[in-house]
Amino acid sequence: LNNVYLGAYGIGKGFIFLQPFSSINGANVVLEAEEPITIYNSALSLQVLIGDNNTMNREILLTSIKDISIRSLAGFTPNYIKGNQRTKSAIKFNTNQNVLVENAVFKDIDISLLGNGIFKDVIWDNAKSIAVKDGKTLTFSKANHEKVKNNGILNLGDTGSISATGFADVSDM
């Protein structure tokens, strides 16, 4: 597989919208839009290629001037974002606006948040990290009064922050 690039340009018409059960797979995946990027109950994954090793970098890059959201419609399966097990893998949410991720599973991939974000009912690997850009805030939210359970690395730089809303409990993070 090759790199996957999807660009949408033009004010008022540069939207990227993935319908439920969509799937994008590639060595690297780039979605770039002038309007919001919205992904519903879909999968994004980095494919393993012959010759891949742990010195290589693979990336899913979501770039928008507006909001980026990975959302779940009631009754559907969660969103699934999977990295390449043989390489260093990352997903980057590149926006100065807001990022909303709900009901999603991140597997074998580091997460980089360059804008303010809300993660609602999100699961990520213990061995992976979430990085929050300086001056930005990541808010955790849970449907039921549950602890956010993860032993992974949370990198807040010098001035990044986390918070909790609704019923999320981040006391053990």
Side-chain angles (χ1 to χ4, degrees), residues 142-173:
K142 298 288 278 181
N144 299 316
H145 187 67
E146 298 176 17
K147 290 187 181 289
V148 175
K149 299 174 185 169
N150 186 276
N151 293 324
I153 299 166
L154 189 56
N155 180 353
L156 302 176
D158 292 326
T159 60
S161 63
I162 62 167
S163 67
T165 63
F167 298 103
D169 180 354
V170 294
S171 61
D172 288 342
M173 292 188 72

PDB file of all heavy atoms in Angstrom, residues 142-173:
ATOM      1  N   LYS A 142     -16.518  10.842  30.658  1.00  0.00           N
ATOM      2  CA  LYS A 142     -16.974   9.444  30.655  1.00  0.00           C
ATOM      3  C   LYS A 142     -18.490   9.426  30.805  1.00  0.00           C
ATOM      4  O   LYS A 142     -19.073  10.267  31.464  1.00  0.00           O
ATOM      5  CB  LYS A 142     -16.353   8.656  31.805  1.00  0.00           C
ATOM      6  CG  LYS A 142     -14.842   8.537  31.780  1.00  0.00           C
ATOM      7  CD  LYS A 142     -14.344   7.612  30.720  1.00  0.00           C
ATOM      8  CE  LYS A 142     -14.410   6.186  31.179  1.00  0.00           C
ATOM      9  NZ  LYS A 142     -13.922   5.237  30.220  1.00  0.00           N
ATOM     10  N   ALA A 143     -19.119   8.424  30.191  1.00  0.00           N
ATOM     11  CA  ALA A 143     -20.578   8.301  30.253  1.00  0.00           C
ATOM     12  C   ALA A 143     -21.047   7.965  31.666  1.00  0.00           C
ATOM     13  O   ALA A 143     -22.043   8.485  32.140  1.00  0.00           O
ATOM     14  CB  ALA A 143     -21.055   7.238  29.270  1.00  0.00           C
ATOM     15  N   ASN A 144     -20.339   7.088  32.348  1.00  0.00           N
ATOM     16  CA  ASN A 144     -20.675   6.703  33.717  1.00  0.00           C
ATOM     17  C   ASN A 144     -19.540   7.149  34.621  1.00  0.00           C
ATOM     18  O   ASN A 144     -18.411   7.284  34.175  1.00  0.00           O
ATOM     19  CB  ASN A 144     -20.845   5.182  33.821  1.00  0.00           C
ATOM     20  CG  ASN A 144     -21.964   4.703  32.926  1.00  0.00           C
ATOM     21  OD1 ASN A 144     -23.022   5.308  32.874  1.00  0.00           O
ATOM     22  ND2 ASN A 144     -21.710   3.635  32.188  1.00  0.00           N
ATOM     23  N   HIS A 145     -19.814   7.337  35.891  1.00  0.00           N
ATOM     24  CA  HIS A 145     -18.770   7.807  36.812  1.00  0.00           C
ATOM     25  C   HIS A 145     -17.665   6.748  36.916  1.00  0.00           C
ATOM     26  O   HIS A 145     -17.692   5.885  37.775  1.00  0.00           O
ATOM     27  CB  HIS A 145     -19.361   8.115  38.190  1.00  0.00           C
ATOM     28  CG  HIS A 145     -18.382   8.752  39.113  1.00  0.00           C
ATOM     29  ND1 HIS A 145     -17.899  10.015  38.886  1.00  0.00           N
ATOM     30  CD2 HIS A 145     -17.775   8.306  40.222  1.00  0.00           C
ATOM     31  CE1 HIS A 145     -17.032  10.319  39.836  1.00  0.00           C
ATOM     32  NE2 HIS A 145     -16.944   9.292  40.668  1.00  0.00           N
ATOM     33  N   GLU A 146     -16.752   6.814  36.000  1.00  0.00           N
ATOM     34  CA  GLU A 146     -15.652   5.849  35.940  1.00  0.00           C
ATOM     35  C   GLU A 146     -14.331   6.594  35.920  1.00  0.00           C
ATOM     36  O   GLU A 146     -14.252   7.732  35.465  1.00  0.00           O
ATOM     37  CB  GLU A 146     -15.742   5.022  34.652  1.00  0.00           C
ATOM     38  CG  GLU A 146     -16.988   4.194  34.512  1.00  0.00           C
ATOM     39  CD  GLU A 146     -17.028   3.482  33.164  1.00  0.00           C
ATOM     40  OE1 GLU A 146     -15.978   3.385  32.503  1.00  0.00           O
ATOM     41  OE2 GLU A 146     -18.103   3.036  32.779  1.00  0.00           O
ATOM     42  N   LYS A 147     -13.321   5.918  36.388  1.00  0.00           N
ATOM     43  CA  LYS A 147     -11.981   6.473  36.278  1.00  0.00           C
ATOM     44  C   LYS A 147     -11.501   6.336  34.835  1.00  0.00           C
ATOM     45  O   LYS A 147     -11.859   5.411  34.136  1.00  0.00           O
ATOM     46  CB  LYS A 147     -11.009   5.737  37.206  1.00  0.00           C
ATOM     47  CG  LYS A 147     -11.257   6.024  38.668  1.00  0.00           C
ATOM     48  CD  LYS A 147     -10.151   5.402  39.507  1.00  0.00           C
ATOM     49  CE  LYS A 147     -10.378   5.659  40.972  1.00  0.00           C
ATOM     50  NZ  LYS A 147     -10.161   7.044  41.354  1.00  0.00           N
ATOM     51  N   VAL A 148     -10.700   7.303  34.387  1.00  0.00           N
ATOM     52  CA  VAL A 148     -10.020   7.177  33.109  1.00  0.00           C
ATOM     53  C   VAL A 148      -8.843   6.255  33.390  1.00  0.00           C
ATOM     54  O   VAL A 148      -7.942   6.595  34.146  1.00  0.00           O
ATOM     55  CB  VAL A 148      -9.554   8.550  32.589  1.00  0.00           C
ATOM     56  CG1 VAL A 148      -8.751   8.397  31.317  1.00  0.00           C
ATOM     57  CG2 VAL A 148     -10.747   9.461  32.378  1.00  0.00           C
ATOM     58  N   LYS A 149      -8.890   5.047  32.821  1.00  0.00           N
ATOM     59  CA  LYS A 149      -7.910   4.019  33.146  1.00  0.00           C
ATOM     60  C   LYS A 149      -6.861   3.919  32.050  1.00  0.00           C
ATOM     61  O   LYS A 149      -7.162   3.515  30.937  1.00  0.00           O
ATOM     62  CB  LYS A 149      -8.593   2.668  33.323  1.00  0.00           C
ATOM     63  CG  LYS A 149      -9.599   2.648  34.436  1.00  0.00           C
ATOM     64  CD  LYS A 149     -10.337   1.351  34.485  1.00  0.00           C
ATOM     65  CE  LYS A 149     -11.419   1.419  35.537  1.00  0.00           C
ATOM     66  NZ  LYS A 149     -12.325   0.309  35.455  1.00  0.00           N
ATOM     67  N   ASN A 150      -5.647   4.309  32.384  1.00  0.00           N
ATOM     68  CA  ASN A 150      -4.552   4.178  31.456  1.00  0.00           C
ATOM     69  C   ASN A 150      -3.259   4.425  32.187  1.00  0.00           C
ATOM     70  O   ASN A 150      -3.177   5.331  33.007  1.00  0.00           O
ATOM     71  CB  ASN A 150      -4.692   5.157  30.285  1.00  0.00           C
ATOM     72  CG  ASN A 150      -3.618   4.909  29.267  1.00  0.00           C
ATOM     73  OD1 ASN A 150      -2.517   5.394  29.406  1.00  0.00           O
ATOM     74  ND2 ASN A 150      -3.934   4.118  28.274  1.00  0.00           N
ATOM     75  N   ASN A 151      -2.269   3.620  31.869  1.00  0.00           N
ATOM     76  CA  ASN A 151      -0.943   3.801  32.460  1.00  0.00           C
ATOM     77  C   ASN A 151       0.035   4.384  31.453  1.00  0.00           C
ATOM     78  O   ASN A 151       1.222   4.412  31.684  1.00  0.00           O
ATOM     79  CB  ASN A 151      -0.408   2.464  32.980  1.00  0.00           C
ATOM     80  CG  ASN A 151      -1.222   1.957  34.141  1.00  0.00           C
ATOM     81  OD1 ASN A 151      -1.677   2.748  34.951  1.00  0.00           O
ATOM     82  ND2 ASN A 151      -1.426   0.649  34.205  1.00  0.00           N
ATOM     83  N   GLY A 152      -0.470   4.819  30.307  1.00  0.00           N
ATOM     84  CA  GLY A 152       0.388   5.394  29.278  1.00  0.00           C
ATOM     85  C   GLY A 152       0.923   6.749  29.700  1.00  0.00           C
ATOM     86  O   GLY A 152       0.557   7.306  30.735  1.00  0.00           O
ATOM     87  N   ILE A 153       1.766   7.302  28.885  1.00  0.00           N
ATOM     88  CA  ILE A 153       2.408   8.581  29.166  1.00  0.00           C
ATOM     89  C   ILE A 153       1.488   9.715  28.743  1.00  0.00           C
ATOM     90  O   ILE A 153       0.917   9.697  27.659  1.00  0.00           O
ATOM     91  CB  ILE A 153       3.740   8.676  28.395  1.00  0.00           C
ATOM     92  CG1 ILE A 153       4.685   7.561  28.851  1.00  0.00           C
ATOM     93  CG2 ILE A 153       4.372  10.048  28.562  1.00  0.00           C
ATOM     94  CD1 ILE A 153       5.867   7.362  27.934  1.00  0.00           C
ATOM     95  N   LEU A 154       1.345  10.708  29.597  1.00  0.00           N
ATOM     96  CA  LEU A 154       0.595  11.911  29.285  1.00  0.00           C
ATOM     97  C   LEU A 154       1.585  13.073  29.319  1.00  0.00           C
ATOM     98  O   LEU A 154       2.076  13.442  30.375  1.00  0.00           O
ATOM     99  CB  LEU A 154      -0.529  12.110  30.303  1.00  0.00           C
ATOM    100  CG  LEU A 154      -1.539  13.187  30.015  1.00  0.00           C
ATOM    101  CD1 LEU A 154      -2.194  12.995  28.652  1.00  0.00           C
ATOM    102  CD2 LEU A 154      -2.607  13.203  31.096  1.00  0.00           C
ATOM    103  N   ASN A 155       1.908  13.626  28.146  1.00  0.00           N
ATOM    104  CA  ASN A 155       2.914  14.671  28.024  1.00  0.00           C
ATOM    105  C   ASN A 155       2.210  16.010  27.855  1.00  0.00           C
ATOM    106  O   ASN A 155       1.594  16.259  26.822  1.00  0.00           O
ATOM    107  CB  ASN A 155       3.830  14.379  26.830  1.00  0.00           C
ATOM    108  CG  ASN A 155       4.906  15.421  26.652  1.00  0.00           C
ATOM    109  OD1 ASN A 155       4.922  16.448  27.324  1.00  0.00           O
ATOM    110  ND2 ASN A 155       5.812  15.147  25.740  1.00  0.00           N
ATOM    111  N   LEU A 156       2.318  16.880  28.866  1.00  0.00           N
ATOM    112  CA  LEU A 156       1.654  18.174  28.836  1.00  0.00           C
ATOM    113  C   LEU A 156       2.613  19.311  28.535  1.00  0.00           C
ATOM    114  O   LEU A 156       2.225  20.485  28.620  1.00  0.00           O
ATOM    115  CB  LEU A 156       0.953  18.432  30.175  1.00  0.00           C
ATOM    116  CG  LEU A 156      -0.079  17.385  30.583  1.00  0.00           C
ATOM    117  CD1 LEU A 156      -0.626  17.687  31.966  1.00  0.00           C
ATOM    118  CD2 LEU A 156      -1.189  17.306  29.565  1.00  0.00           C
ATOM    119  N   GLY A 157       3.860  19.000  28.170  1.00  0.00           N
ATOM    120  CA  GLY A 157       4.830  20.050  27.892  1.00  0.00           C
ATOM    121  C   GLY A 157       4.979  20.963  29.088  1.00  0.00           C
ATOM    122  O   GLY A 157       4.907  20.536  30.235  1.00  0.00           O
ATOM    123  N   ASP A 158       5.159  22.270  28.832  1.00  0.00           N
ATOM    124  CA  ASP A 158       5.314  23.233  29.922  1.00  0.00           C
ATOM    125  C   ASP A 158       3.984  23.811  30.393  1.00  0.00           C
ATOM    126  O   ASP A 158       3.799  24.078  31.573  1.00  0.00           O
ATOM    127  CB  ASP A 158       6.227  24.387  29.491  1.00  0.00           C
ATOM    128  CG  ASP A 158       7.664  23.921  29.291  1.00  0.00           C
ATOM    129  OD1 ASP A 158       8.112  23.019  30.024  1.00  0.00           O
ATOM    130  OD2 ASP A 158       8.327  24.455  28.384  1.00  0.00           O
ATOM    131  N   THR A 159       3.031  24.011  29.464  1.00  0.00           N
ATOM    132  CA  THR A 159       1.804  24.697  29.847  1.00  0.00           C
ATOM    133  C   THR A 159       0.531  24.000  29.358  1.00  0.00           C
ATOM    134  O   THR A 159      -0.553  24.578  29.430  1.00  0.00           O
ATOM    135  CB  THR A 159       1.799  26.153  29.323  1.00  0.00           C
ATOM    136  OG1 THR A 159       1.891  26.125  27.884  1.00  0.00           O
ATOM    137  CG2 THR A 159       2.947  26.952  29.907  1.00  0.00           C
ATOM    138  N   GLY A 160       0.612  22.772  28.875  1.00  0.00           N
ATOM    139  CA  GLY A 160      -0.584  22.013  28.509  1.00  0.00           C
ATOM    140  C   GLY A 160      -1.305  21.578  29.771  1.00  0.00           C
ATOM    141  O   GLY A 160      -0.729  21.576  30.864  1.00  0.00           O
ATOM    142  N   SER A 161      -2.580  21.199  29.656  1.00  0.00           N
ATOM    143  CA  SER A 161      -3.316  20.804  30.853  1.00  0.00           C
ATOM    144  C   SER A 161      -4.374  19.758  30.521  1.00  0.00           C
ATOM    145  O   SER A 161      -4.725  19.560  29.363  1.00  0.00           O
ATOM    146  CB  SER A 161      -3.975  22.025  31.513  1.00  0.00           C
ATOM    147  OG  SER A 161      -4.920  22.604  30.637  1.00  0.00           O
ATOM    148  N   ILE A 162      -4.860  19.098  31.585  1.00  0.00           N
ATOM    149  CA  ILE A 162      -5.988  18.179  31.446  1.00  0.00           C
ATOM    150  C   ILE A 162      -7.074  18.614  32.410  1.00  0.00           C
ATOM    151  O   ILE A 162      -6.807  19.285  33.411  1.00  0.00           O
ATOM    152  CB  ILE A 162      -5.604  16.704  31.718  1.00  0.00           C
ATOM    153  CG1 ILE A 162      -5.106  16.500  33.152  1.00  0.00           C
ATOM    154  CG2 ILE A 162      -4.617  16.201  30.700  1.00  0.00           C
ATOM    155  CD1 ILE A 162      -5.004  15.052  33.562  1.00  0.00           C
ATOM    156  N   SER A 163      -8.297  18.232  32.094  1.00  0.00           N
ATOM    157  CA  SER A 163      -9.418  18.478  32.991  1.00  0.00           C
ATOM    158  C   SER A 163     -10.416  17.348  32.813  1.00  0.00           C
ATOM    159  O   SER A 163     -10.262  16.504  31.934  1.00  0.00           O
ATOM    160  CB  SER A 163     -10.073  19.833  32.708  1.00  0.00           C
ATOM    161  OG  SER A 163     -10.705  19.817  31.443  1.00  0.00           O
ATOM    162  N   ALA A 164     -11.446  17.336  33.658  1.00  0.00           N
ATOM    163  CA  ALA A 164     -12.481  16.308  33.586  1.00  0.00           C
ATOM    164  C   ALA A 164     -13.833  16.976  33.661  1.00  0.00           C
ATOM    165  O   ALA A 164     -14.020  17.946  34.399  1.00  0.00           O
ATOM    166  CB  ALA A 164     -12.314  15.312  34.714  1.00  0.00           C
ATOM    167  N   THR A 165     -14.788  16.467  32.863  1.00  0.00           N
ATOM    168  CA  THR A 165     -16.148  16.958  32.923  1.00  0.00           C
ATOM    169  C   THR A 165     -17.104  15.800  33.086  1.00  0.00           C
ATOM    170  O   THR A 165     -16.726  14.649  32.893  1.00  0.00           O
ATOM    171  CB  THR A 165     -16.563  17.743  31.646  1.00  0.00           C
ATOM    172  OG1 THR A 165     -16.511  16.848  30.550  1.00  0.00           O
ATOM    173  CG2 THR A 165     -15.668  18.920  31.417  1.00  0.00           C
ATOM    174  N   GLY A 166     -18.333  16.122  33.401  1.00  0.00           N
ATOM    175  CA  GLY A 166     -19.339  15.066  33.546  1.00  0.00           C
ATOM    176  C   GLY A 166     -18.931  14.134  34.663  1.00  0.00           C
ATOM    177  O   GLY A 166     -18.743  14.540  35.789  1.00  0.00           O
ATOM    178  N   PHE A 167     -18.745  12.874  34.327  1.00  0.00           N
ATOM    179  CA  PHE A 167     -18.486  11.854  35.326  1.00  0.00           C
ATOM    180  C   PHE A 167     -17.089  11.274  35.255  1.00  0.00           C
ATOM    181  O   PHE A 167     -16.823  10.246  35.831  1.00  0.00           O
ATOM    182  CB  PHE A 167     -19.525  10.745  35.190  1.00  0.00           C
ATOM    183  CG  PHE A 167     -20.917  11.217  35.433  1.00  0.00           C
ATOM    184  CD1 PHE A 167     -21.777  11.443  34.381  1.00  0.00           C
ATOM    185  CD2 PHE A 167     -21.362  11.457  36.713  1.00  0.00           C
ATOM    186  CE1 PHE A 167     -23.070  11.889  34.605  1.00  0.00           C
ATOM    187  CE2 PHE A 167     -22.645  11.909  36.952  1.00  0.00           C
ATOM    188  CZ  PHE A 167     -23.500  12.128  35.894  1.00  0.00           C
ATOM    189  N   ALA A 168     -16.184  11.906  34.519  1.00  0.00           N
ATOM    190  CA  ALA A 168     -14.828  11.365  34.405  1.00  0.00           C
ATOM    191  C   ALA A 168     -14.041  11.630  35.689  1.00  0.00           C
ATOM    192  O   ALA A 168     -14.201  12.647  36.341  1.00  0.00           O
ATOM    193  CB  ALA A 168     -14.100  11.987  33.232  1.00  0.00           C
ATOM    194  N   ASP A 169     -13.198  10.686  36.047  1.00  0.00           N
ATOM    195  CA  ASP A 169     -12.347  10.793  37.218  1.00  0.00           C
ATOM    196  C   ASP A 169     -10.906  10.606  36.759  1.00  0.00           C
ATOM    197  O   ASP A 169     -10.535   9.536  36.302  1.00  0.00           O
ATOM    198  CB  ASP A 169     -12.735   9.717  38.244  1.00  0.00           C
ATOM    199  CG  ASP A 169     -11.883   9.758  39.499  1.00  0.00           C
ATOM    200  OD1 ASP A 169     -10.892  10.548  39.550  1.00  0.00           O
ATOM    201  OD2 ASP A 169     -12.186   9.019  40.427  1.00  0.00           O
ATOM    202  N   VAL A 170     -10.112  11.651  36.831  1.00  0.00           N
ATOM    203  CA  VAL A 170      -8.711  11.582  36.394  1.00  0.00           C
ATOM    204  C   VAL A 170      -7.751  11.600  37.587  1.00  0.00           C
ATOM    205  O   VAL A 170      -6.569  11.882  37.434  1.00  0.00           O
ATOM    206  CB  VAL A 170      -8.365  12.711  35.402  1.00  0.00           C
ATOM    207  CG1 VAL A 170      -9.121  12.545  34.104  1.00  0.00           C
ATOM    208  CG2 VAL A 170      -8.629  14.080  36.009  1.00  0.00           C
ATOM    209  N   SER A 171      -8.250  11.261  38.763  1.00  0.00           N
ATOM    210  CA  SER A 171      -7.438  11.375  39.980  1.00  0.00           C
ATOM    211  C   SER A 171      -6.231  10.459  39.998  1.00  0.00           C
ATOM    212  O   SER A 171      -5.252  10.729  40.665  1.00  0.00           O
ATOM    213  CB  SER A 171      -8.307  11.110  41.217  1.00  0.00           C
ATOM    214  OG  SER A 171      -8.840   9.804  41.166  1.00  0.00           O
ATOM    215  N   ASP A 172      -6.268   9.364  39.265  1.00  0.00           N
ATOM    216  CA  ASP A 172      -5.134   8.429  39.272  1.00  0.00           C
ATOM    217  C   ASP A 172      -4.191   8.621  38.101  1.00  0.00           C
ATOM    218  O   ASP A 172      -3.274   7.836  37.914  1.00  0.00           O
ATOM    219  CB  ASP A 172      -5.644   6.977  39.251  1.00  0.00           C
ATOM    220  CG  ASP A 172      -6.260   6.596  40.581  1.00  0.00           C
ATOM    221  OD1 ASP A 172      -6.003   7.291  41.575  1.00  0.00           O
ATOM    222  OD2 ASP A 172      -6.990   5.594  40.608  1.00  0.00           O
ATOM    223  N   MET A 173      -4.404   9.609  37.278  1.00  0.00           N
ATOM    224  CA  MET A 173      -3.560   9.773  36.093  1.00  0.00           C
ATOM    225  C   MET A 173      -2.260  10.428  36.452  1.00  0.00           C
ATOM    226  O   MET A 173      -2.142  11.174  37.361  1.00  0.00           O
ATOM    227  CB  MET A 173      -4.295  10.579  35.031  1.00  0.00           C
ATOM    228  CG  MET A 173      -5.458   9.799  34.471  1.00  0.00           C
ATOM    229  SD  MET A 173      -6.211  10.611  33.081  1.00  0.00           S
ATOM    230  CE  MET A 173      -4.955  10.357  31.864  1.00  0.00           C
TER     231      MET A 173
END
